[in-house]
Amino acid sequence: MLHILYIIAITAEAMTAALSAGRRNMDWVGVCIIAWVTALGGGTIRNILLGHYPMTWVEHPEYLLITAGAALFAALIASVMKKLKTLFLYLDALGLVVFTIIGCQMAQDMHLSIIIVLFSGMITGCAGGVLRDVLCGDIPLLLRKEVYASVSIVTGGIYVGLQYVEWGMHWASLIAATAGFVLRIVAIRYEWQMPKFVYKDEWH
């Protein structure tokens, strides 16, 4: 089930990434690159930091075809996708929690500490979007007021905590994903924001 959700998530992430590329007037190659970076970049950065090889998309090159195809399809139906904004917000939330749990599992398989497990989950869930925003010249969503990275941390925390009390990986994954998904959707619905640090004095 987690693998199926992962395929759905990278497809949705690639499609929304294509729109970001389109807003920057990128060509077809640029659209595919932004899609790959967004959908697969979080796992790639995680693997580099943890020294885990080969990369997921090297083991499964079909992921490159899936995401590129989804991105190009999104470019062709861009006018229709605007009407599906709510759906893709839900799919983005799904992708965040699924990527987070997969990242946590990867670190657990390497027998790393709980802090690194949580960090691995957050990197997997958020880094792809950061790379997309940087390449598109935007301030990363992770660094803005949106409740995003914190949802990833909460999801990972629930996942690890439930395993600690011996609920089992499957139940922990299901409950953590559901809780994180609901939290993200509620945060969007009620426009919850993280506290901002504002400092305007100049240093001379």
Side-chain angles (χ1 to χ4, degrees):
M1 178 61 71
L2 198 62
H3 182 258
I4 294 173
L5 293 176
Y6 175 78
I7 297 297
I8 294 173
I10 62 173
T11 300
E13 294 290 343
M15 293 181 75
T16 55
L19 300 185
S20 296
R23 284 191 287 268
R24 295 295 181 268
N25 302 318
M26 296 186 186
D27 61 18
W28 296 105
V29 175
V31 169
C32 289
I33 290 174
I34 295 299
W36 289 329
V37 164
T38 306
L40 306 172
T44 299
I45 291 179
R46 173 204 66 217
N47 285 1
I48 291 173
L49 291 174
L50 299 183
H52 184 278
Y53 300 98
M55 301 297 173
T56 302
W57 49 268
V58 174
E59 285 189 297
H60 301 279
E62 64 272 18
Y63 293 167
L64 296 173
L65 298 178
I66 291 171
T67 49
L72 295 177
F73 179 68
L76 293 174
I77 63 165
S79 59
V80 177
M81 285 190 61
K82 183 177 181 180
K83 301 176 183 178
L84 302 175
K85 182 178 179 180
T86 300
L87 172 62
F88 278 94
L89 284 174
Y90 277 71
L91 291 176
D92 179 74
L94 176 66
L96 175 62
V97 297
V98 169
F99 292 159
T100 296
I101 292 173
I102 289 174
C104 289
Q105 290 179 349
M106 178 72 71
Q108 284 180 322
D109 290 342
M110 298 177 69
H111 306 290
L112 300 174
S113 69
I114 291 179
I115 293 177
I116 301 303
V117 168
L118 295 177
F119 182 75
S120 175
M122 186 183 70
I123 289 293
T124 309
C126 303
V130 172
L131 292 175
R132 175 201 62 212
D133 292 340
V134 169
L135 291 175
C136 291
D138 298 322
I139 298 176
L141 184 67
L142 182 68
L143 305 180
R144 286 181 275 167
K145 56 190 178 183
E146 288 234 19
V147 178
Y148 199 81
S150 51
V151 171
S152 180
I153 294 173
V154 169
T155 301
I158 294 174
Y159 172 75
V160 172
L162 289 176
Q163 284 192 308
Y164 182 77
V165 296
E166 299 181 352
W167 273 59
M169 179 181 295
H170 297 297
W171 279 109
S173 298
L174 178 61
I175 295 173
T178 301
F181 178 81
V182 170
L183 176 59
R184 175 62 180 151
I185 295 303
V186 170
I188 294 173
R189 173 65 178 81
Y190 293 102
E191 299 181 351
W192 290 352
Q193 299 179 1
M194 294 295 290
K196 293 186 294 184
F197 174 60
V198 179
Y199 186 83
K200 297 183 179 180
D201 291 341
E202 295 291 339
W203 284 45
H204 298 287

